[in-house]
Amino acid sequence: MNQRHPWLLIAFTLLSGYVTTAQQPEKRIDSIMKKLDVVGLSVVVVKNNAPVYTKSFGLKNIEKNIALQPTDLFRIASISKSFSATTVMKLVEAGKLKLNQDFSELVGFKVRNPKFPSTVITLKMILSHTSGINDSQGYFKLDAIDPSKNPDWAKCYNDYEPGKGYQYCNLNFNMVGTVLEKISGIRFDSYIRQQVLNPLGLYGGYCVDSLDNSRLTTLYEYDSTKRFIAADSAYATRRAEIASYVMGYSTPIFSPTGGMKISAVDLARYMMMHMNYGKNLTGNGGRIISKKSSKTMQKALSPEENYGLALWNTDKIIPGIKLTGHTGSAYGLYSAMFFDPKKKFGFVVITNGCNPVYTNGTNEVLRATMNVLYDEFIKN
């Protein structure tokens, strides 16, 4: 085994189980790609707790005409949120955090909606986007919502009482990443690697300089006139910010809300842990989180929201089939990770660029591809 890069053997072993002679899904996916101008697409299907199909289509880089490979890394955007929520649940189990804690006490400054000053905004509200906080003042700096730093901090709060409404908010999870640092005393990217990635045997992370940059998939924003434009800022190193890093404050530079870089293959391995209610099937065994914690993450807070703690429940992607997971979109990338924890199947689908058509609130490339994969590998 290569001691410097043990993940090479892990990836090779995993991929050897994905051999398939299926031709029909590839023809159908090729048709989707042509219709929606897809640059590259990586897919993984898990069935009966095992990967049964993986395939990468199209290009990793248009300018260099490099084909996309299953082990290439993507910045997966908002699926990243679930890594933070998973780590929070580990701390809850250890008695170091409580979901009903006042978030102000955790983040280090007052987090209160001025319209409802007596209503405590809890950690659970932050994790479930029921905090009543919005991104109107930005989300890449904590100063946006800190009353001592931003005179317009009150604009970060909606008009409804915290806990009684839902609005998706990236600032929520950049603040959660800050709390993880404050509780652990370890820099956010290192802590996620220590608590989630390493135990599962996954290669990835939030810090670009900790990764093999040759494996990073170029992301392309779609422009109806110029077609695809490379989003170079997707993999900004943040070296200057890291050089002057302040623990518990600088955390948003790693974008806990959307900055995880990982392959479709390894994201599927991570998905399998959630599919099995926190059980580690692919790394060094044991559990990442308890079954109780996992079910808490997956439980929708209300029929209207269908959102738990960084995991979403929906039957709109595959009609009549309830799935749990998350999507992501940023810099032209669109990603999806969805699974059925009872029937033990799931899908990872990621594109690095496409014509961004939406159907029922989901990117059409992701939706159509998951329907093909369900038809070909799960339905019959």
Side-chain angles (χ1 to χ4, degrees):
M1 186 179 198
N2 187 324
Q3 295 299 315
R4 291 183 62 194
H5 298 293
W7 52 268
L8 287 172
L9 181 57
I10 292 169
F12 178 80
T13 302
L14 180 65
L15 288 171
S16 67
Y18 284 176
V19 176
T20 180
T21 58
Q23 296 298 317
Q24 186 63 20
E26 295 172 9
K27 290 181 180 179
R28 294 177 67 184
I29 291 171
D30 281 338
S31 177
I32 293 169
M33 292 182 68
K34 290 176 182 177
K35 180 180 179 181
L36 293 169
D37 298 326
V38 178
V39 178
L41 186 71
S42 279
V43 305
V44 179
V45 180
V46 173
K47 183 178 182 180
N48 296 328
N49 266 341
V52 295
Y53 179 75
T54 192
K55 183 74 176 178
S56 288
F57 303 80
L59 297 176
K60 170 183 178 177
N61 184 284
I62 295 173
E63 293 76 19
K64 297 179 181 178
N65 197 35
I66 300 174
L68 184 63
Q69 302 297 326
T71 55
D72 285 330
L73 307 176
F74 296 85
R75 177 172 178 155
I76 59 171
S78 286
I79 299 174
S80 307
K81 292 176 172 66
S82 65
F83 286 83
S84 290
T86 300
T87 309
V88 164
M89 296 312 295
K90 289 172 70 72
L91 290 170
V92 169
E93 291 173 20
K96 296 181 179 181
L97 284 174
K98 293 181 180 179
L99 290 177
N100 63 356
Q101 273 184 272
D102 185 335
F103 196 74
S104 298
E105 299 172 357
L106 298 173
V107 78
F109 54 82
K110 189 175 182 179
V111 179
R112 278 287 192 284
N113 188 324
K115 303 176 186 69
F116 302 93
S118 62
T119 302
V120 173
I121 295 177
T122 66
L123 174 60
K124 187 175 185 178
M125 291 177 189
I126 296 289
L127 290 169
S128 60
H129 298 299
T130 59
S131 63
I133 297 172
N134 61 61
D135 290 327
S136 65
Q137 295 293 295
Y139 56 87
F140 280 114
K141 288 187 177 181
L142 299 182
D143 293 357
I145 196 172
D146 186 340
S148 69
K149 302 288 180 65
N150 180 13
D152 292 324
W153 63 273
K155 294 180 180 179
C156 291
Y157 296 93
N158 295 330
D159 291 335
Y160 56 83
E161 185 176 0
K164 295 185 178 180
Y166 171 91
Q167 181 172 327
Y168 194 85
C169 173
N170 288 302
L171 179 57
N172 281 331
F173 277 83
N174 279 347
M175 290 194 295
V176 168
T178 299
V179 169
L180 290 175
E181 281 191 346
K182 286 178 174 290
I183 297 296
S184 69
I186 301 171
R187 203 174 76 180
F188 172 77
D189 59 314
S190 298
Y191 195 55
I192 296 295
R193 179 177 290 110
Q194 176 192 110
Q195 297 296 315
V196 181
L197 297 177
N198 288 349
L200 287 170
L202 309 181
Y203 182 81
Y206 287 83
C207 180
V208 170
D209 283 341
S210 70
L211 301 169
D212 177 357
N213 282 205
S214 70
R215 293 178 62 186
L216 296 175
T217 303
T218 304
L219 308 186
Y220 292 93
E221 295 179 311
Y222 186 83
D223 182 284
S224 59
T225 303
K226 300 180 180 178
R227 300 303 294 273
F228 292 105
I229 302 171
D232 297 330
S233 60
Y235 301 114
T237 65
R238 307 295 183 190
R239 288 171 191 159
E241 296 96 327
I242 291 172
S244 57
Y245 198 86
V246 178
M247 290 286 291
Y249 174 76
S250 303
T251 325
I253 69 169
F254 290 115
S255 189
T257 200
M260 171 62 75
K261 272 73 71 174
I262 195 168
S263 67
V265 168
D266 275 349
L267 185 58
R269 290 156 63 90
Y270 169 75
M271 177 183 72
M272 288 168 64
M273 178 270 292
H274 283 293
M275 185 190 301
N276 286 275
Y277 296 116
K279 190 174 182 181
N280 183 354
L281 300 182
T282 63
N284 55 22
R287 282 191 163 274
I288 300 300
I289 54 175
S290 70
K291 186 174 183 178
K292 179 181 178 181
S293 292
S294 183
K295 287 192 170 185
T296 296
M297 287 184 64
Q298 295 182 31
K299 183 179 179 181
L301 296 185
S302 76
E304 293 79 21
E305 294 151 10
N306 291 317
Y307 199 93
L309 308 184
L311 290 173
W312 174 42
N313 299 281
T314 180
D315 60 2
K316 294 182 179 180
I317 293 175
I318 301 173
I321 305 298
K322 182 180 178 181
L323 297 173
T324 300
H326 215 287
T327 57
S329 62
Y331 303 101
L333 167 135
Y334 295 89
S335 59
M337 174 192 80
F338 282 97
F339 57 92
D340 184 329
K342 294 181 179 179
K343 296 182 179 179
K344 306 303 180 191
F345 70 83
F347 314 100
V348 167
V349 180
I350 312 175
T351 175
N352 60 330
C354 66
N355 184 343
V357 175
Y358 275 76
T359 302
N360 292 329
T362 302
N363 174 274
E364 178 61 12
V365 173
L366 305 180
R367 190 206 64 79
T369 301
M370 281 187 280
N371 274 269
V372 167
L373 297 175
Y374 179 79
D375 287 347
E376 298 290 340
F377 295 97
I378 308 299
K379 187 175 182 179
N380 299 320

Short mmCIF file of all heavy atoms in Angstrom, two decimals, residues 216-264:
data_model
loop_
_atom_site.label_atom_id
_atom_site.label_comp_id
_atom_site.label_asym_id
_atom_site.label_seq_id
_atom_site.Cartn_x
_atom_site.Cartn_y
_atom_site.Cartn_z
N LEU A 216 -8.75 18.54 -9.34
CA LEU A 216 -9.87 19.47 -9.26
C LEU A 216 -10.54 19.65 -10.63
O LEU A 216 -9.88 19.96 -11.62
CB LEU A 216 -9.39 20.84 -8.75
CG LEU A 216 -8.84 20.88 -7.32
CD1 LEU A 216 -8.29 22.27 -7.02
CD2 LEU A 216 -9.90 20.48 -6.30
N THR A 217 -11.83 19.45 -10.66
CA THR A 217 -12.60 19.59 -11.89
C THR A 217 -12.95 21.05 -12.13
O THR A 217 -13.49 21.72 -11.25
CB THR A 217 -13.91 18.78 -11.79
OG1 THR A 217 -13.60 17.41 -11.53
CG2 THR A 217 -14.72 18.87 -13.07
N THR A 218 -12.64 21.56 -13.30
CA THR A 218 -12.97 22.95 -13.62
C THR A 218 -14.49 23.13 -13.66
O THR A 218 -15.20 22.31 -14.26
CB THR A 218 -12.37 23.36 -14.97
OG1 THR A 218 -10.96 23.12 -14.96
CG2 THR A 218 -12.61 24.83 -15.26
N LEU A 219 -14.96 24.17 -13.01
CA LEU A 219 -16.39 24.48 -13.01
C LEU A 219 -16.67 25.58 -14.01
O LEU A 219 -15.88 26.52 -14.17
CB LEU A 219 -16.84 24.90 -11.61
CG LEU A 219 -16.48 23.95 -10.45
CD1 LEU A 219 -17.11 24.43 -9.15
CD2 LEU A 219 -16.90 22.52 -10.76
N TYR A 220 -17.82 25.47 -14.70
CA TYR A 220 -18.14 26.40 -15.78
C TYR A 220 -19.51 27.03 -15.58
O TYR A 220 -20.52 26.32 -15.47
CB TYR A 220 -18.11 25.68 -17.13
CG TYR A 220 -16.73 25.23 -17.54
CD1 TYR A 220 -16.27 23.96 -17.22
CD2 TYR A 220 -15.88 26.10 -18.22
CE1 TYR A 220 -15.00 23.55 -17.59
CE2 TYR A 220 -14.60 25.70 -18.59
CZ TYR A 220 -14.16 24.43 -18.26
OH TYR A 220 -12.90 24.02 -18.62
N GLU A 221 -19.53 28.35 -15.54
CA GLU A 221 -20.79 29.07 -15.48
C GLU A 221 -21.34 29.23 -16.89
O GLU A 221 -20.59 29.53 -17.83
CB GLU A 221 -20.60 30.43 -14.81
CG GLU A 221 -20.19 30.29 -13.35
CD GLU A 221 -19.95 31.61 -12.65
OE1 GLU A 221 -19.22 32.45 -13.21
OE2 GLU A 221 -20.49 31.78 -11.54
N TYR A 222 -22.62 29.04 -17.04
CA TYR A 222 -23.26 29.06 -18.35
C TYR A 222 -23.71 30.47 -18.71
O TYR A 222 -24.37 31.15 -17.93
CB TYR A 222 -24.47 28.13 -18.34
CG TYR A 222 -25.13 27.95 -19.69
CD1 TYR A 222 -24.63 27.03 -20.61
CD2 TYR A 222 -26.26 28.69 -20.05
CE1 TYR A 222 -25.23 26.85 -21.84
CE2 TYR A 222 -26.88 28.52 -21.28
CZ TYR A 222 -26.36 27.59 -22.17
OH TYR A 222 -26.97 27.41 -23.40
N ASP A 223 -23.34 30.87 -19.89
CA ASP A 223 -23.76 32.18 -20.41
C ASP A 223 -24.37 31.94 -21.78
O ASP A 223 -23.74 31.33 -22.65
CB ASP A 223 -22.55 33.11 -20.50
CG ASP A 223 -22.93 34.50 -20.98
OD1 ASP A 223 -23.18 34.66 -22.18
OD2 ASP A 223 -22.98 35.42 -20.14
N SER A 224 -25.59 32.39 -21.97
CA SER A 224 -26.30 32.10 -23.21
C SER A 224 -25.61 32.67 -24.44
O SER A 224 -25.86 32.22 -25.56
CB SER A 224 -27.74 32.64 -23.12
OG SER A 224 -27.73 34.04 -22.89
N THR A 225 -24.74 33.66 -24.23
CA THR A 225 -24.01 34.26 -25.35
C THR A 225 -22.63 33.65 -25.52
O THR A 225 -22.24 33.21 -26.60
CB THR A 225 -23.88 35.78 -25.15
OG1 THR A 225 -25.17 36.35 -25.01
CG2 THR A 225 -23.16 36.40 -26.34
N LYS A 226 -21.87 33.62 -24.43
CA LYS A 226 -20.49 33.12 -24.49
C LYS A 226 -20.38 31.64 -24.16
O LYS A 226 -19.31 31.09 -24.14
CB LYS A 226 -19.63 33.93 -23.52
CG LYS A 226 -19.57 35.42 -23.82
CD LYS A 226 -18.70 36.16 -22.81
CE LYS A 226 -18.66 37.65 -23.12
NZ LYS A 226 -17.85 38.40 -22.12
N ARG A 227 -21.52 31.02 -23.87
CA ARG A 227 -21.59 29.62 -23.45
C ARG A 227 -20.91 29.42 -22.10
O ARG A 227 -21.34 29.99 -21.13
CB ARG A 227 -21.01 28.70 -24.54
CG ARG A 227 -21.73 28.78 -25.87
CD ARG A 227 -23.22 28.47 -25.73
NE ARG A 227 -23.49 27.12 -25.34
CZ ARG A 227 -23.61 26.10 -26.19
NH1 ARG A 227 -23.47 26.31 -27.48
NH2 ARG A 227 -23.87 24.88 -25.75
N PHE A 228 -19.81 28.69 -22.05
CA PHE A 228 -19.24 28.34 -20.74
C PHE A 228 -18.01 29.18 -20.39
O PHE A 228 -17.10 29.33 -21.19
CB PHE A 228 -18.88 26.85 -20.72
CG PHE A 228 -20.08 25.97 -20.78
CD1 PHE A 228 -20.41 25.30 -21.94
CD2 PHE A 228 -20.90 25.82 -19.68
CE1 PHE A 228 -21.54 24.48 -22.00
CE2 PHE A 228 -22.03 25.02 -19.73
CZ PHE A 228 -22.35 24.35 -20.89
N ILE A 229 -18.04 29.70 -19.16
CA ILE A 229 -16.94 30.51 -18.66
C ILE A 229 -16.38 29.84 -17.41
O ILE A 229 -17.11 29.58 -16.45
CB ILE A 229 -17.42 31.93 -18.31
CG1 ILE A 229 -18.04 32.60 -19.55
CG2 ILE A 229 -16.27 32.77 -17.76
CD1 ILE A 229 -18.74 33.90 -19.25
N ALA A 230 -15.08 29.54 -17.43
CA ALA A 230 -14.45 28.88 -16.29
C ALA A 230 -14.53 29.74 -15.04
O ALA A 230 -14.19 30.92 -15.07
CB ALA A 230 -13.00 28.56 -16.61
N ALA A 231 -15.00 29.15 -13.95
CA ALA A 231 -15.15 29.87 -12.68
C ALA A 231 -13.90 29.61 -11.83
O ALA A 231 -13.89 28.77 -10.93
CB ALA A 231 -16.40 29.40 -11.95
N ASP A 232 -12.85 30.35 -12.14
CA ASP A 232 -11.57 30.12 -11.47
C ASP A 232 -11.64 30.36 -9.96
O ASP A 232 -10.89 29.75 -9.19
CB ASP A 232 -10.49 31.03 -12.09
CG ASP A 232 -10.24 30.71 -13.55
OD1 ASP A 232 -10.42 29.54 -13.94
OD2 ASP A 232 -9.88 31.63 -14.30
N SER A 233 -12.54 31.24 -9.52
CA SER A 233 -12.61 31.56 -8.10
C SER A 233 -13.17 30.42 -7.26
O SER A 233 -13.10 30.46 -6.02
CB SER A 233 -13.46 32.81 -7.89
OG SER A 233 -14.78 32.61 -8.37
N ALA A 234 -13.70 29.39 -7.90
CA ALA A 234 -14.27 28.26 -7.16
C ALA A 234 -13.24 27.57 -6.29
O ALA A 234 -13.57 27.01 -5.24
CB ALA A 234 -14.89 27.25 -8.13
N TYR A 235 -11.98 27.62 -6.73
CA TYR A 235 -10.92 26.93 -5.99
C TYR A 235 -9.85 27.91 -5.50
O TYR A 235 -8.66 27.60 -5.47
CB TYR A 235 -10.28 25.85 -6.86
CG TYR A 235 -11.27 24.80 -7.33
CD1 TYR A 235 -11.58 24.67 -8.69
CD2 TYR A 235 -11.91 23.97 -6.43
CE1 TYR A 235 -12.47 23.72 -9.13
CE2 TYR A 235 -12.82 23.01 -6.85
CZ TYR A 235 -13.10 22.89 -8.21
OH TYR A 235 -14.00 21.94 -8.64
N ALA A 236 -10.28 29.10 -5.11
CA ALA A 236 -9.35 30.09 -4.57
C ALA A 236 -8.64 29.51 -3.34
O ALA A 236 -9.27 28.87 -2.49
CB ALA A 236 -10.09 31.36 -4.20
N THR A 237 -7.35 29.75 -3.23
CA THR A 237 -6.56 29.13 -2.15
C THR A 237 -6.77 29.79 -0.79
O THR A 237 -6.61 29.16 0.23
CB THR A 237 -5.06 29.19 -2.47
OG1 THR A 237 -4.65 30.57 -2.51
CG2 THR A 237 -4.76 28.52 -3.79
N ARG A 238 -7.11 31.07 -0.77
CA ARG A 238 -7.28 31.83 0.48
C ARG A 238 -6.00 31.86 1.32
O ARG A 238 -6.05 31.94 2.54
CB ARG A 238 -8.43 31.23 1.32
CG ARG A 238 -9.74 31.08 0.60
CD ARG A 238 -10.34 32.40 0.21
NE ARG A 238 -11.66 32.23 -0.44
CZ ARG A 238 -12.31 33.20 -1.05
NH1 ARG A 238 -11.79 34.41 -1.09
NH2 ARG A 238 -13.47 32.98 -1.60
N ARG A 239 -4.85 31.79 0.66
CA ARG A 239 -3.59 31.72 1.42
C ARG A 239 -3.35 32.96 2.27
O ARG A 239 -2.87 32.85 3.40
CB ARG A 239 -2.42 31.53 0.44
CG ARG A 239 -2.38 30.14 -0.17
CD ARG A 239 -1.37 30.03 -1.28
NE ARG A 239 -1.54 28.78 -2.02
CZ ARG A 239 -1.09 28.58 -3.25
NH1 ARG A 239 -0.47 29.57 -3.89
NH2 ARG A 239 -1.28 27.43 -3.85
N ALA A 240 -3.68 34.13 1.75
CA ALA A 240 -3.46 35.35 2.53
C ALA A 240 -4.32 35.35 3.79
O ALA A 240 -3.85 35.70 4.88
CB ALA A 240 -3.78 36.57 1.67
N GLU A 241 -5.58 34.93 3.63
CA GLU A 241 -6.48 34.88 4.80
C GLU A 241 -6.03 33.84 5.80
O GLU A 241 -6.10 34.04 7.02
CB GLU A 241 -7.91 34.60 4.35
CG GLU A 241 -8.53 35.68 3.48
CD GLU A 241 -8.40 35.38 2.00
OE1 GLU A 241 -7.38 34.77 1.60
OE2 GLU A 241 -9.32 35.75 1.24
N ILE A 242 -5.55 32.71 5.29
CA ILE A 242 -5.09 31.64 6.19
C ILE A 242 -3.85 32.08 6.96
O ILE A 242 -3.67 31.73 8.14
CB ILE A 242 -4.81 30.35 5.39
CG1 ILE A 242 -6.15 29.77 4.87
CG2 ILE A 242 -4.08 29.31 6.24
CD1 ILE A 242 -5.98 28.61 3.91
N ALA A 243 -3.00 32.87 6.31
CA ALA A 243 -1.77 33.34 6.98
C ALA A 243 -2.08 34.21 8.19
O ALA A 243 -1.30 34.24 9.15
CB ALA A 243 -0.92 34.12 5.98
N SER A 244 -3.23 34.89 8.17
CA SER A 244 -3.60 35.74 9.31
C SER A 244 -4.88 35.20 9.98
O SER A 244 -5.69 35.97 10.50
CB SER A 244 -3.82 37.18 8.84
OG SER A 244 -4.81 37.24 7.82
N TYR A 245 -5.04 33.92 9.96
CA TYR A 245 -6.27 33.26 10.42
C TYR A 245 -6.53 33.49 11.90
O TYR A 245 -5.63 33.39 12.74
CB TYR A 245 -6.16 31.76 10.17
CG TYR A 245 -7.47 31.02 10.17
CD1 TYR A 245 -8.24 30.92 9.03
CD2 TYR A 245 -7.95 30.40 11.33
CE1 TYR A 245 -9.45 30.23 9.02
CE2 TYR A 245 -9.15 29.71 11.34
CZ TYR A 245 -9.89 29.62 10.17
OH TYR A 245 -11.08 28.93 10.18
N VAL A 246 -7.78 33.80 12.22
CA VAL A 246 -8.21 33.97 13.61
C VAL A 246 -9.24 32.89 13.91
O VAL A 246 -10.33 32.87 13.31
CB VAL A 246 -8.83 35.36 13.86
CG1 VAL A 246 -9.31 35.46 15.30
CG2 VAL A 246 -7.82 36.46 13.54
N MET A 247 -8.91 31.98 14.81
CA MET A 247 -9.83 30.89 15.15
C MET A 247 -11.15 31.44 15.67
O MET A 247 -11.18 32.39 16.45
CB MET A 247 -9.19 30.00 16.21
CG MET A 247 -8.02 29.17 15.71
SD MET A 247 -8.55 27.79 14.66
CE MET A 247 -9.35 26.75 15.90
N GLY A 248 -12.25 30.85 15.20
CA GLY A 248 -13.56 31.27 15.65
C GLY A 248 -14.05 32.56 15.02
O GLY A 248 -15.08 33.10 15.44
N TYR A 249 -13.32 33.04 14.00
CA TYR A 249 -13.73 34.27 13.32
C TYR A 249 -13.52 34.16 11.80
O TYR A 249 -14.39 34.51 11.01
CB TYR A 249 -12.96 35.46 13.86
CG TYR A 249 -13.22 36.76 13.11
CD1 TYR A 249 -14.41 37.46 13.31
CD2 TYR A 249 -12.30 37.25 12.19
CE1 TYR A 249 -14.67 38.63 12.61
CE2 TYR A 249 -12.55 38.42 11.49
CZ TYR A 249 -13.73 39.11 11.70
OH TYR A 249 -13.98 40.27 11.00
N SER A 250 -12.36 33.64 11.41
CA SER A 250 -12.02 33.56 9.98
C SER A 250 -12.66 32.37 9.28
O SER A 250 -12.54 32.23 8.06
CB SER A 250 -10.50 33.47 9.81
OG SER A 250 -9.84 34.56 10.41
N THR A 251 -13.35 31.53 9.99
CA THR A 251 -13.90 30.27 9.49
C THR A 251 -14.60 30.37 8.14
O THR A 251 -14.43 29.48 7.29
CB THR A 251 -14.88 29.68 10.52
OG1 THR A 251 -14.42 29.95 11.83
CG2 THR A 251 -15.04 28.19 10.32
N PRO A 252 -15.40 31.40 7.85
CA PRO A 252 -16.12 31.44 6.57
C PRO A 252 -15.24 31.41 5.33
O PRO A 252 -15.75 31.13 4.24
CB PRO A 252 -16.90 32.76 6.66
CG PRO A 252 -17.16 32.94 8.12
CD PRO A 252 -15.87 32.48 8.77
N ILE A 253 -13.93 31.66 5.45
CA ILE A 253 -13.09 31.59 4.25
C ILE A 253 -13.04 30.17 3.69
O ILE A 253 -12.77 29.98 2.49
CB ILE A 253 -11.65 32.12 4.50
CG1 ILE A 253 -10.86 31.19 5.42
CG2 ILE A 253 -11.68 33.54 5.02
CD1 ILE A 253 -9.38 31.51 5.48
N PHE A 254 -13.30 29.16 4.53
CA PHE A 254 -13.34 27.78 4.06
C PHE A 254 -14.73 27.41 3.54
O PHE A 254 -14.93 26.32 3.01
CB PHE A 254 -12.94 26.81 5.17
CG PHE A 254 -11.48 26.88 5.53
CD1 PHE A 254 -11.08 27.32 6.78
CD2 PHE A 254 -10.51 26.53 4.60
CE1 PHE A 254 -9.73 27.38 7.11
CE2 PHE A 254 -9.16 26.60 4.93
CZ PHE A 254 -8.77 27.02 6.18
N SER A 255 -15.70 28.30 3.72
CA SER A 255 -17.08 28.09 3.31
C SER A 255 -17.65 26.77 3.82
O SER A 255 -17.93 25.85 3.05
CB SER A 255 -17.21 28.12 1.78
OG SER A 255 -18.57 28.12 1.39
N PRO A 256 -17.86 26.65 5.14
CA PRO A 256 -18.56 25.48 5.67
C PRO A 256 -19.91 25.26 4.98
O PRO A 256 -20.39 24.13 4.89
CB PRO A 256 -18.75 25.83 7.15
CG PRO A 256 -17.60 26.74 7.47
CD PRO A 256 -17.44 27.57 6.22
N THR A 257 -20.49 26.34 4.48
CA THR A 257 -21.79 26.26 3.83
C THR A 257 -21.75 25.65 2.45
O THR A 257 -22.77 25.20 1.93
CB THR A 257 -22.42 27.67 3.76
OG1 THR A 257 -23.82 27.56 3.58
CG2 THR A 257 -21.82 28.51 2.66
N GLY A 258 -20.54 25.61 1.82
CA GLY A 258 -20.50 25.09 0.45
C GLY A 258 -19.14 24.74 -0.11
O GLY A 258 -19.00 24.52 -1.30
N GLY A 259 -18.10 24.66 0.73
CA GLY A 259 -16.74 24.56 0.23
C GLY A 259 -16.09 23.19 0.19
O GLY A 259 -14.90 23.08 -0.11
N MET A 260 -16.83 22.11 0.48
CA MET A 260 -16.23 20.78 0.44
C MET A 260 -15.83 20.41 -0.99
O MET A 260 -16.61 20.60 -1.93
CB MET A 260 -17.20 19.75 1.00
CG MET A 260 -16.75 18.29 0.82
SD MET A 260 -15.19 17.87 1.65
CE MET A 260 -15.73 17.79 3.36
N LYS A 261 -14.62 19.87 -1.13
CA LYS A 261 -14.15 19.34 -2.41
C LYS A 261 -14.00 17.82 -2.27
O LYS A 261 -13.26 17.35 -1.40
CB LYS A 261 -12.80 19.96 -2.78
CG LYS A 261 -12.89 21.26 -3.55
CD LYS A 261 -13.33 22.45 -2.74
CE LYS A 261 -12.27 22.91 -1.75
NZ LYS A 261 -12.67 24.18 -1.05
N ILE A 262 -14.70 17.06 -3.12
CA ILE A 262 -14.71 15.61 -2.98
C ILE A 262 -15.15 15.00 -4.32
O ILE A 262 -15.79 15.68 -5.13
CB ILE A 262 -15.65 15.19 -1.83
CG1 ILE A 262 -15.42 13.74 -1.40
CG2 ILE A 262 -17.11 15.45 -2.19
CD1 ILE A 262 -16.12 13.38 -0.09
N SER A 263 -14.82 13.75 -4.55
CA SER A 263 -15.24 13.08 -5.78
C SER A 263 -16.63 12.50 -5.62
O SER A 263 -17.13 12.30 -4.51
CB SER A 263 -14.26 11.96 -6.13
OG SER A 263 -14.34 10.91 -5.17
N ALA A 264 -17.27 12.18 -6.74
CA ALA A 264 -18.57 11.52 -6.69
C ALA A 264 -18.45 10.16 -6.01
O ALA A 264 -19.34 9.75 -5.26
CB ALA A 264 -19.13 11.36 -8.11
#
